[in-house]
Amino acid sequence: MGDACGIGPEVIAKWWCHGGGAAVVIGSPAVMQRAVNWLPDADRPEVVALASLAQHASLQAGQMGVWAPPGLPADLLDASLGQVDVRAGRAAAACIREAVHLAQQGLVAGIVTAPLHKEALALAGEPYPGHTELLQAEGSPSGQAPAPVRMMLANDELKTVLVTIHVSLRKAIEQVTAASVLETIRITHASAQLWGMPRPRIAVAGLNPHAGEGGLFGDEELTIIGPAIEAARADGIDASGPYAPDTVFMRARHAPGHPGEFDVVIAMYHDQGLIPVKYLGLDQGVNVTLGLPFVRTSPDHGTAFDLAGTGRADEASFAQAVRMARLLVAGRKAL
């Protein structure tokens, strides 16, 4: 459901009206009913609070099953729309944990997360800066260190995977090591095989302008990124670079009349990799967490507090996230 004070419930409700179904909403039935009430009368599904997950199989057309996880605040509807609220943070975390629990049991095939608000998550006492880190922690077997994961933002034209994510730029640079770059390449290669790419063409962006220009603008390409690429190639992975960050995304873009040179680009830090994809259109971008033992996708926009409760939220990116999740689930089943 995402943050109850944002647009997550609304985009879910709108998606449901335009071909949704074969899915369970994990969240508050009352919050989802409020979102459904913003829809035109003719489009409104009937919100059904599920007494058990198995009840979903008996739902009729036009019924939206909502499964309330343990830990939902009883006064969640009192949290003001468009405002950061600790109750919304607690609810969002509870929904994520329940989704992971169901996926680990094999009761759901994949997870699509609506946006949460990182400040609300922090107010709720969660030590995680976002979805990716929380999913990583919850998705790891008890007693074991969290498995390495990576964030990918993708649309039909461009796929980018990040070496570092929700940290300051200064910390991100410190976290770009030969080990982290190599691990990102390996995770990307293994994940792409689930999309039907047995040998994906992986381009690795440099960290510095002009990929360091032979060491003139920084030596990370020579001492860190380049050696990681060579190690990946020694593993039989089709990785190349490091390429100049200001041109590699254009070279990789798949567009009419312009077949991309690469299948995916690995970027060193958050904005380096996400700006190119988001520039191509927020309504098409999908966030995918690579390395998890289950499928997880998300729209590439945030909670959009300025739109919450207005009925003007656009569900297109959420719809793309569901489409991508189903494709990835089908790919895993085919292996």
Side-chain angles (χ1 to χ4, degrees), residues 138-174:
E138 291 296 318
S140 301
S142 178
Q144 296 185 20
V149 300
R150 291 298 186 271
M151 175 180 174
M152 179 179 77
L153 200 64
N155 56 33
D156 290 338
E157 298 181 39
L158 185 63
K159 294 180 176 65
T160 66
V161 180
L162 308 181
V163 174
T164 66
I165 45 174
H166 299 124
V167 295
S168 71
L169 182 55
R170 187 181 302 277
K171 287 185 178 179
I173 293 171
E174 295 171 355

PDB file of all heavy atoms in Angstrom, residues 138-174:
ATOM      1  N   GLU A 138      14.770  -7.972   5.497  1.00  0.00           N
ATOM      2  CA  GLU A 138      13.668  -8.893   5.756  1.00  0.00           C
ATOM      3  C   GLU A 138      13.736 -10.144   4.883  1.00  0.00           C
ATOM      4  O   GLU A 138      13.240 -11.206   5.265  1.00  0.00           O
ATOM      5  CB  GLU A 138      12.333  -8.185   5.534  1.00  0.00           C
ATOM      6  CG  GLU A 138      12.024  -7.117   6.563  1.00  0.00           C
ATOM      7  CD  GLU A 138      11.862  -7.671   7.964  1.00  0.00           C
ATOM      8  OE1 GLU A 138      11.229  -8.732   8.118  1.00  0.00           O
ATOM      9  OE2 GLU A 138      12.389  -7.053   8.908  1.00  0.00           O
ATOM     10  N   GLY A 139      14.344 -10.004   3.709  1.00  0.00           N
ATOM     11  CA  GLY A 139      14.389 -11.129   2.778  1.00  0.00           C
ATOM     12  C   GLY A 139      15.493 -12.124   3.054  1.00  0.00           C
ATOM     13  O   GLY A 139      15.576 -13.158   2.390  1.00  0.00           O
ATOM     14  N   SER A 140      16.350 -11.855   4.025  1.00  0.00           N
ATOM     15  CA  SER A 140      17.462 -12.750   4.335  1.00  0.00           C
ATOM     16  C   SER A 140      17.030 -13.784   5.367  1.00  0.00           C
ATOM     17  O   SER A 140      16.289 -13.462   6.297  1.00  0.00           O
ATOM     18  CB  SER A 140      18.647 -11.946   4.865  1.00  0.00           C
ATOM     19  OG  SER A 140      19.064 -10.983   3.913  1.00  0.00           O
ATOM     20  N   PRO A 141      17.496 -15.016   5.234  1.00  0.00           N
ATOM     21  CA  PRO A 141      17.158 -16.045   6.234  1.00  0.00           C
ATOM     22  C   PRO A 141      17.613 -15.629   7.622  1.00  0.00           C
ATOM     23  O   PRO A 141      18.630 -14.949   7.783  1.00  0.00           O
ATOM     24  CB  PRO A 141      17.930 -17.282   5.736  1.00  0.00           C
ATOM     25  CG  PRO A 141      18.154 -17.033   4.272  1.00  0.00           C
ATOM     26  CD  PRO A 141      18.309 -15.543   4.132  1.00  0.00           C
ATOM     27  N   SER A 142      16.858 -16.034   8.619  1.00  0.00           N
ATOM     28  CA  SER A 142      17.155 -15.680  10.003  1.00  0.00           C
ATOM     29  C   SER A 142      18.553 -16.147  10.387  1.00  0.00           C
ATOM     30  O   SER A 142      18.949 -17.281  10.116  1.00  0.00           O
ATOM     31  CB  SER A 142      16.121 -16.306  10.943  1.00  0.00           C
ATOM     32  OG  SER A 142      16.421 -16.013  12.284  1.00  0.00           O
ATOM     33  N   GLY A 143      19.301 -15.248  11.018  1.00  0.00           N
ATOM     34  CA  GLY A 143      20.632 -15.592  11.482  1.00  0.00           C
ATOM     35  C   GLY A 143      21.721 -15.444  10.448  1.00  0.00           C
ATOM     36  O   GLY A 143      22.898 -15.659  10.745  1.00  0.00           O
ATOM     37  N   GLN A 144      21.349 -15.105   9.218  1.00  0.00           N
ATOM     38  CA  GLN A 144      22.333 -14.950   8.152  1.00  0.00           C
ATOM     39  C   GLN A 144      22.487 -13.479   7.786  1.00  0.00           C
ATOM     40  O   GLN A 144      21.560 -12.683   7.928  1.00  0.00           O
ATOM     41  CB  GLN A 144      21.926 -15.747   6.911  1.00  0.00           C
ATOM     42  CG  GLN A 144      21.877 -17.248   7.130  1.00  0.00           C
ATOM     43  CD  GLN A 144      21.597 -18.001   5.848  1.00  0.00           C
ATOM     44  OE1 GLN A 144      21.786 -17.482   4.745  1.00  0.00           O
ATOM     45  NE2 GLN A 144      21.143 -19.240   5.971  1.00  0.00           N
ATOM     46  N   ALA A 145      23.663 -13.135   7.314  1.00  0.00           N
ATOM     47  CA  ALA A 145      23.905 -11.765   6.857  1.00  0.00           C
ATOM     48  C   ALA A 145      23.025 -11.482   5.642  1.00  0.00           C
ATOM     49  O   ALA A 145      22.774 -12.383   4.826  1.00  0.00           O
ATOM     50  CB  ALA A 145      25.373 -11.581   6.496  1.00  0.00           C
ATOM     51  N   PRO A 146      22.520 -10.247   5.515  1.00  0.00           N
ATOM     52  CA  PRO A 146      21.679  -9.920   4.356  1.00  0.00           C
ATOM     53  C   PRO A 146      22.395 -10.184   3.038  1.00  0.00           C
ATOM     54  O   PRO A 146      23.584  -9.877   2.894  1.00  0.00           O
ATOM     55  CB  PRO A 146      21.394  -8.422   4.541  1.00  0.00           C
ATOM     56  CG  PRO A 146      21.581  -8.175   6.002  1.00  0.00           C
ATOM     57  CD  PRO A 146      22.672  -9.104   6.443  1.00  0.00           C
ATOM     58  N   ALA A 147      21.687 -10.779   2.097  1.00  0.00           N
ATOM     59  CA  ALA A 147      22.265 -11.016   0.780  1.00  0.00           C
ATOM     60  C   ALA A 147      22.459  -9.682   0.061  1.00  0.00           C
ATOM     61  O   ALA A 147      21.682  -8.747   0.254  1.00  0.00           O
ATOM     62  CB  ALA A 147      21.337 -11.917  -0.036  1.00  0.00           C
ATOM     63  N   PRO A 148      23.503  -9.545  -0.730  1.00  0.00           N
ATOM     64  CA  PRO A 148      23.705  -8.289  -1.460  1.00  0.00           C
ATOM     65  C   PRO A 148      22.607  -8.065  -2.493  1.00  0.00           C
ATOM     66  O   PRO A 148      22.213  -9.002  -3.202  1.00  0.00           O
ATOM     67  CB  PRO A 148      25.064  -8.482  -2.125  1.00  0.00           C
ATOM     68  CG  PRO A 148      25.234  -9.963  -2.238  1.00  0.00           C
ATOM     69  CD  PRO A 148      24.549 -10.536  -1.037  1.00  0.00           C
ATOM     70  N   VAL A 149      22.086  -6.871  -2.537  1.00  0.00           N
ATOM     71  CA  VAL A 149      21.061  -6.525  -3.514  1.00  0.00           C
ATOM     72  C   VAL A 149      21.471  -5.237  -4.224  1.00  0.00           C
ATOM     73  O   VAL A 149      22.339  -4.507  -3.747  1.00  0.00           O
ATOM     74  CB  VAL A 149      19.669  -6.339  -2.870  1.00  0.00           C
ATOM     75  CG1 VAL A 149      19.218  -7.610  -2.175  1.00  0.00           C
ATOM     76  CG2 VAL A 149      19.674  -5.168  -1.888  1.00  0.00           C
ATOM     77  N   ARG A 150      20.843  -4.967  -5.340  1.00  0.00           N
ATOM     78  CA  ARG A 150      21.087  -3.741  -6.075  1.00  0.00           C
ATOM     79  C   ARG A 150      19.773  -3.194  -6.605  1.00  0.00           C
ATOM     80  O   ARG A 150      18.817  -3.941  -6.859  1.00  0.00           O
ATOM     81  CB  ARG A 150      22.042  -3.977  -7.249  1.00  0.00           C
ATOM     82  CG  ARG A 150      23.478  -4.293  -6.855  1.00  0.00           C
ATOM     83  CD  ARG A 150      24.146  -3.176  -6.102  1.00  0.00           C
ATOM     84  NE  ARG A 150      25.551  -3.421  -5.848  1.00  0.00           N
ATOM     85  CZ  ARG A 150      26.043  -4.047  -4.783  1.00  0.00           C
ATOM     86  NH1 ARG A 150      25.203  -4.511  -3.858  1.00  0.00           N
ATOM     87  NH2 ARG A 150      27.340  -4.209  -4.631  1.00  0.00           N
ATOM     88  N   MET A 151      19.740  -1.891  -6.776  1.00  0.00           N
ATOM     89  CA  MET A 151      18.562  -1.198  -7.299  1.00  0.00           C
ATOM     90  C   MET A 151      18.722  -0.986  -8.798  1.00  0.00           C
ATOM     91  O   MET A 151      19.757  -0.508  -9.266  1.00  0.00           O
ATOM     92  CB  MET A 151      18.413   0.145  -6.590  1.00  0.00           C
ATOM     93  CG  MET A 151      17.300   1.026  -7.108  1.00  0.00           C
ATOM     94  SD  MET A 151      17.247   2.582  -6.154  1.00  0.00           S
ATOM     95  CE  MET A 151      15.997   3.471  -7.088  1.00  0.00           C
ATOM     96  N   MET A 152      17.710  -1.369  -9.560  1.00  0.00           N
ATOM     97  CA  MET A 152      17.686  -1.116 -10.994  1.00  0.00           C
ATOM     98  C   MET A 152      16.466  -0.265 -11.328  1.00  0.00           C
ATOM     99  O   MET A 152      15.371  -0.530 -10.820  1.00  0.00           O
ATOM    100  CB  MET A 152      17.612  -2.417 -11.794  1.00  0.00           C
ATOM    101  CG  MET A 152      17.552  -2.190 -13.318  1.00  0.00           C
ATOM    102  SD  MET A 152      17.502  -3.710 -14.299  1.00  0.00           S
ATOM    103  CE  MET A 152      15.783  -4.196 -14.073  1.00  0.00           C
ATOM    104  N   LEU A 153      16.653   0.746 -12.137  1.00  0.00           N
ATOM    105  CA  LEU A 153      15.529   1.497 -12.681  1.00  0.00           C
ATOM    106  C   LEU A 153      15.481   1.209 -14.180  1.00  0.00           C
ATOM    107  O   LEU A 153      16.517   1.296 -14.868  1.00  0.00           O
ATOM    108  CB  LEU A 153      15.685   2.997 -12.433  1.00  0.00           C
ATOM    109  CG  LEU A 153      14.371   3.789 -12.527  1.00  0.00           C
ATOM    110  CD1 LEU A 153      13.407   3.362 -11.436  1.00  0.00           C
ATOM    111  CD2 LEU A 153      14.636   5.293 -12.412  1.00  0.00           C
ATOM    112  N   ALA A 154      14.299   0.856 -14.655  1.00  0.00           N
ATOM    113  CA  ALA A 154      14.205   0.383 -16.032  1.00  0.00           C
ATOM    114  C   ALA A 154      12.936   0.869 -16.696  1.00  0.00           C
ATOM    115  O   ALA A 154      11.901   1.072 -16.051  1.00  0.00           O
ATOM    116  CB  ALA A 154      14.244  -1.154 -16.065  1.00  0.00           C
ATOM    117  N   ASN A 155      13.019   1.059 -18.000  1.00  0.00           N
ATOM    118  CA  ASN A 155      11.845   1.216 -18.846  1.00  0.00           C
ATOM    119  C   ASN A 155      12.133   0.460 -20.136  1.00  0.00           C
ATOM    120  O   ASN A 155      13.115  -0.291 -20.215  1.00  0.00           O
ATOM    121  CB  ASN A 155      11.505   2.696 -19.082  1.00  0.00           C
ATOM    122  CG  ASN A 155      12.651   3.482 -19.681  1.00  0.00           C
ATOM    123  OD1 ASN A 155      13.443   2.953 -20.468  1.00  0.00           O
ATOM    124  ND2 ASN A 155      12.756   4.745 -19.320  1.00  0.00           N
ATOM    125  N   ASP A 156      11.299   0.628 -21.138  1.00  0.00           N
ATOM    126  CA  ASP A 156      11.476  -0.138 -22.361  1.00  0.00           C
ATOM    127  C   ASP A 156      12.707   0.300 -23.158  1.00  0.00           C
ATOM    128  O   ASP A 156      13.145  -0.411 -24.060  1.00  0.00           O
ATOM    129  CB  ASP A 156      10.234  -0.018 -23.249  1.00  0.00           C
ATOM    130  CG  ASP A 156       9.031  -0.746 -22.671  1.00  0.00           C
ATOM    131  OD1 ASP A 156       9.247  -1.661 -21.843  1.00  0.00           O
ATOM    132  OD2 ASP A 156       7.894  -0.400 -23.029  1.00  0.00           O
ATOM    133  N   GLU A 157      13.274   1.457 -22.816  1.00  0.00           N
ATOM    134  CA  GLU A 157      14.401   1.990 -23.580  1.00  0.00           C
ATOM    135  C   GLU A 157      15.743   1.873 -22.869  1.00  0.00           C
ATOM    136  O   GLU A 157      16.785   1.813 -23.517  1.00  0.00           O
ATOM    137  CB  GLU A 157      14.148   3.465 -23.918  1.00  0.00           C
ATOM    138  CG  GLU A 157      12.922   3.699 -24.772  1.00  0.00           C
ATOM    139  CD  GLU A 157      12.729   5.161 -25.109  1.00  0.00           C
ATOM    140  OE1 GLU A 157      13.727   5.853 -25.373  1.00  0.00           O
ATOM    141  OE2 GLU A 157      11.579   5.624 -25.090  1.00  0.00           O
ATOM    142  N   LEU A 158      15.734   1.843 -21.542  1.00  0.00           N
ATOM    143  CA  LEU A 158      16.996   1.921 -20.810  1.00  0.00           C
ATOM    144  C   LEU A 158      16.879   1.210 -19.471  1.00  0.00           C
ATOM    145  O   LEU A 158      15.853   1.323 -18.787  1.00  0.00           O
ATOM    146  CB  LEU A 158      17.357   3.394 -20.583  1.00  0.00           C
ATOM    147  CG  LEU A 158      18.706   3.713 -19.936  1.00  0.00           C
ATOM    148  CD1 LEU A 158      19.861   3.235 -20.799  1.00  0.00           C
ATOM    149  CD2 LEU A 158      18.819   5.219 -19.688  1.00  0.00           C
ATOM    150  N   LYS A 159      17.939   0.495 -19.106  1.00  0.00           N
ATOM    151  CA  LYS A 159      18.027  -0.154 -17.799  1.00  0.00           C
ATOM    152  C   LYS A 159      19.327   0.288 -17.144  1.00  0.00           C
ATOM    153  O   LYS A 159      20.398   0.182 -17.753  1.00  0.00           O
ATOM    154  CB  LYS A 159      18.001  -1.682 -17.930  1.00  0.00           C
ATOM    155  CG  LYS A 159      16.712  -2.270 -18.453  1.00  0.00           C
ATOM    156  CD  LYS A 159      16.810  -3.787 -18.542  1.00  0.00           C
ATOM    157  CE  LYS A 159      15.487  -4.416 -18.967  1.00  0.00           C
ATOM    158  NZ  LYS A 159      15.103  -4.035 -20.338  1.00  0.00           N
ATOM    159  N   THR A 160      19.237   0.760 -15.894  1.00  0.00           N
ATOM    160  CA  THR A 160      20.436   1.128 -15.166  1.00  0.00           C
ATOM    161  C   THR A 160      20.420   0.475 -13.783  1.00  0.00           C
ATOM    162  O   THR A 160      19.379   0.389 -13.140  1.00  0.00           O
ATOM    163  CB  THR A 160      20.569   2.653 -14.986  1.00  0.00           C
ATOM    164  OG1 THR A 160      19.522   3.127 -14.130  1.00  0.00           O
ATOM    165  CG2 THR A 160      20.481   3.362 -16.320  1.00  0.00           C
ATOM    166  N   VAL A 161      21.585   0.015 -13.360  1.00  0.00           N
ATOM    167  CA  VAL A 161      21.760  -0.606 -12.049  1.00  0.00           C
ATOM    168  C   VAL A 161      22.776   0.225 -11.272  1.00  0.00           C
ATOM    169  O   VAL A 161      23.780   0.679 -11.833  1.00  0.00           O
ATOM    170  CB  VAL A 161      22.243  -2.068 -12.179  1.00  0.00           C
ATOM    171  CG1 VAL A 161      22.431  -2.697 -10.797  1.00  0.00           C
ATOM    172  CG2 VAL A 161      21.259  -2.889 -12.997  1.00  0.00           C
ATOM    173  N   LEU A 162      22.524   0.416  -9.981  1.00  0.00           N
ATOM    174  CA  LEU A 162      23.343   1.306  -9.168  1.00  0.00           C
ATOM    175  C   LEU A 162      24.296   0.530  -8.266  1.00  0.00           C
ATOM    176  O   LEU A 162      23.901  -0.437  -7.614  1.00  0.00           O
ATOM    177  CB  LEU A 162      22.456   2.196  -8.300  1.00  0.00           C
ATOM    178  CG  LEU A 162      21.340   2.974  -9.021  1.00  0.00           C
ATOM    179  CD1 LEU A 162      20.577   3.818  -8.008  1.00  0.00           C
ATOM    180  CD2 LEU A 162      21.906   3.838 -10.122  1.00  0.00           C
ATOM    181  N   VAL A 163      25.536   1.012  -8.196  1.00  0.00           N
ATOM    182  CA  VAL A 163      26.505   0.453  -7.252  1.00  0.00           C
ATOM    183  C   VAL A 163      26.191   0.933  -5.842  1.00  0.00           C
ATOM    184  O   VAL A 163      26.257   0.168  -4.878  1.00  0.00           O
ATOM    185  CB  VAL A 163      27.941   0.851  -7.651  1.00  0.00           C
ATOM    186  CG1 VAL A 163      28.949   0.391  -6.587  1.00  0.00           C
ATOM    187  CG2 VAL A 163      28.303   0.254  -9.012  1.00  0.00           C
ATOM    188  N   THR A 164      25.834   2.210  -5.690  1.00  0.00           N
ATOM    189  CA  THR A 164      25.456   2.774  -4.390  1.00  0.00           C
ATOM    190  C   THR A 164      24.081   3.402  -4.527  1.00  0.00           C
ATOM    191  O   THR A 164      23.675   3.800  -5.625  1.00  0.00           O
ATOM    192  CB  THR A 164      26.463   3.835  -3.922  1.00  0.00           C
ATOM    193  OG1 THR A 164      26.407   4.971  -4.801  1.00  0.00           O
ATOM    194  CG2 THR A 164      27.878   3.278  -3.925  1.00  0.00           C
ATOM    195  N   ILE A 165      23.362   3.525  -3.408  1.00  0.00           N
ATOM    196  CA  ILE A 165      22.006   4.075  -3.529  1.00  0.00           C
ATOM    197  C   ILE A 165      21.780   5.233  -2.564  1.00  0.00           C
ATOM    198  O   ILE A 165      22.244   6.336  -2.815  1.00  0.00           O
ATOM    199  CB  ILE A 165      20.918   2.984  -3.400  1.00  0.00           C
ATOM    200  CG1 ILE A 165      21.189   2.024  -2.233  1.00  0.00           C
ATOM    201  CG2 ILE A 165      20.803   2.186  -4.671  1.00  0.00           C
ATOM    202  CD1 ILE A 165      20.074   1.029  -1.984  1.00  0.00           C
ATOM    203  N   HIS A 166      21.091   5.014  -1.460  1.00  0.00           N
ATOM    204  CA  HIS A 166      20.605   6.120  -0.632  1.00  0.00           C
ATOM    205  C   HIS A 166      21.631   6.541   0.422  1.00  0.00           C
ATOM    206  O   HIS A 166      21.459   6.319   1.614  1.00  0.00           O
ATOM    207  CB  HIS A 166      19.281   5.725   0.028  1.00  0.00           C
ATOM    208  CG  HIS A 166      18.210   5.413  -0.957  1.00  0.00           C
ATOM    209  ND1 HIS A 166      17.539   4.220  -0.982  1.00  0.00           N
ATOM    210  CD2 HIS A 166      17.717   6.144  -1.986  1.00  0.00           C
ATOM    211  CE1 HIS A 166      16.668   4.220  -1.972  1.00  0.00           C
ATOM    212  NE2 HIS A 166      16.755   5.377  -2.597  1.00  0.00           N
ATOM    213  N   VAL A 167      22.692   7.152  -0.049  1.00  0.00           N
ATOM    214  CA  VAL A 167      23.710   7.740   0.821  1.00  0.00           C
ATOM    215  C   VAL A 167      24.114   9.074   0.212  1.00  0.00           C
ATOM    216  O   VAL A 167      23.809   9.369  -0.952  1.00  0.00           O
ATOM    217  CB  VAL A 167      24.951   6.829   0.965  1.00  0.00           C
ATOM    218  CG1 VAL A 167      24.593   5.523   1.666  1.00  0.00           C
ATOM    219  CG2 VAL A 167      25.586   6.536  -0.391  1.00  0.00           C
ATOM    220  N   SER A 168      24.813   9.896   0.991  1.00  0.00           N
ATOM    221  CA  SER A 168      25.294  11.162   0.453  1.00  0.00           C
ATOM    222  C   SER A 168      26.281  10.904  -0.682  1.00  0.00           C
ATOM    223  O   SER A 168      26.872   9.817  -0.778  1.00  0.00           O
ATOM    224  CB  SER A 168      25.977  11.980   1.548  1.00  0.00           C
ATOM    225  OG  SER A 168      27.218  11.387   1.903  1.00  0.00           O
ATOM    226  N   LEU A 169      26.464  11.899  -1.530  1.00  0.00           N
ATOM    227  CA  LEU A 169      27.393  11.743  -2.642  1.00  0.00           C
ATOM    228  C   LEU A 169      28.804  11.479  -2.132  1.00  0.00           C
ATOM    229  O   LEU A 169      29.541  10.662  -2.703  1.00  0.00           O
ATOM    230  CB  LEU A 169      27.370  12.995  -3.523  1.00  0.00           C
ATOM    231  CG  LEU A 169      28.255  12.973  -4.779  1.00  0.00           C
ATOM    232  CD1 LEU A 169      27.933  11.769  -5.651  1.00  0.00           C
ATOM    233  CD2 LEU A 169      28.089  14.268  -5.564  1.00  0.00           C
ATOM    234  N   ARG A 170      29.194  12.147  -1.052  1.00  0.00           N
ATOM    235  CA  ARG A 170      30.526  11.917  -0.490  1.00  0.00           C
ATOM    236  C   ARG A 170      30.695  10.460  -0.048  1.00  0.00           C
ATOM    237  O   ARG A 170      31.718   9.822  -0.335  1.00  0.00           O
ATOM    238  CB  ARG A 170      30.747  12.859   0.694  1.00  0.00           C
ATOM    239  CG  ARG A 170      32.181  12.825   1.250  1.00  0.00           C
ATOM    240  CD  ARG A 170      32.324  13.756   2.441  1.00  0.00           C
ATOM    241  NE  ARG A 170      31.970  15.119   2.089  1.00  0.00           N
ATOM    242  CZ  ARG A 170      32.795  15.993   1.507  1.00  0.00           C
ATOM    243  NH1 ARG A 170      34.024  15.612   1.207  1.00  0.00           N
ATOM    244  NH2 ARG A 170      32.395  17.211   1.221  1.00  0.00           N
ATOM    245  N   LYS A 171      29.670   9.910   0.632  1.00  0.00           N
ATOM    246  CA  LYS A 171      29.744   8.516   1.061  1.00  0.00           C
ATOM    247  C   LYS A 171      29.668   7.567  -0.128  1.00  0.00           C
ATOM    248  O   LYS A 171      30.295   6.501  -0.124  1.00  0.00           O
ATOM    249  CB  LYS A 171      28.624   8.216   2.059  1.00  0.00           C
ATOM    250  CG  LYS A 171      28.842   8.839   3.424  1.00  0.00           C
ATOM    251  CD  LYS A 171      27.758   8.405   4.400  1.00  0.00           C
ATOM    252  CE  LYS A 171      28.001   9.003   5.786  1.00  0.00           C
ATOM    253  NZ  LYS A 171      26.941   8.600   6.755  1.00  0.00           N
ATOM    254  N   ALA A 172      28.889   7.941  -1.130  1.00  0.00           N
ATOM    255  CA  ALA A 172      28.776   7.084  -2.309  1.00  0.00           C
ATOM    256  C   ALA A 172      30.139   6.894  -2.968  1.00  0.00           C
ATOM    257  O   ALA A 172      30.510   5.775  -3.363  1.00  0.00           O
ATOM    258  CB  ALA A 172      27.784   7.686  -3.296  1.00  0.00           C
ATOM    259  N   ILE A 173      30.889   7.970  -3.097  1.00  0.00           N
ATOM    260  CA  ILE A 173      32.218   7.876  -3.704  1.00  0.00           C
ATOM    261  C   ILE A 173      33.112   6.944  -2.881  1.00  0.00           C
ATOM    262  O   ILE A 173      33.864   6.132  -3.434  1.00  0.00           O
ATOM    263  CB  ILE A 173      32.837   9.272  -3.845  1.00  0.00           C
ATOM    264  CG1 ILE A 173      32.034  10.097  -4.864  1.00  0.00           C
ATOM    265  CG2 ILE A 173      34.304   9.187  -4.280  1.00  0.00           C
ATOM    266  CD1 ILE A 173      32.426  11.554  -4.937  1.00  0.00           C
ATOM    267  N   GLU A 174      33.008   7.050  -1.548  1.00  0.00           N
ATOM    268  CA  GLU A 174      33.798   6.174  -0.686  1.00  0.00           C
ATOM    269  C   GLU A 174      33.394   4.710  -0.849  1.00  0.00           C
ATOM    270  O   GLU A 174      34.217   3.808  -0.685  1.00  0.00           O
ATOM    271  CB  GLU A 174      33.628   6.597   0.777  1.00  0.00           C
ATOM    272  CG  GLU A 174      34.188   7.982   1.093  1.00  0.00           C
ATOM    273  CD  GLU A 174      33.812   8.449   2.488  1.00  0.00           C
ATOM    274  OE1 GLU A 174      33.032   7.723   3.168  1.00  0.00           O
ATOM    275  OE2 GLU A 174      34.272   9.528   2.897  1.00  0.00           O
TER     276      GLU A 174
END
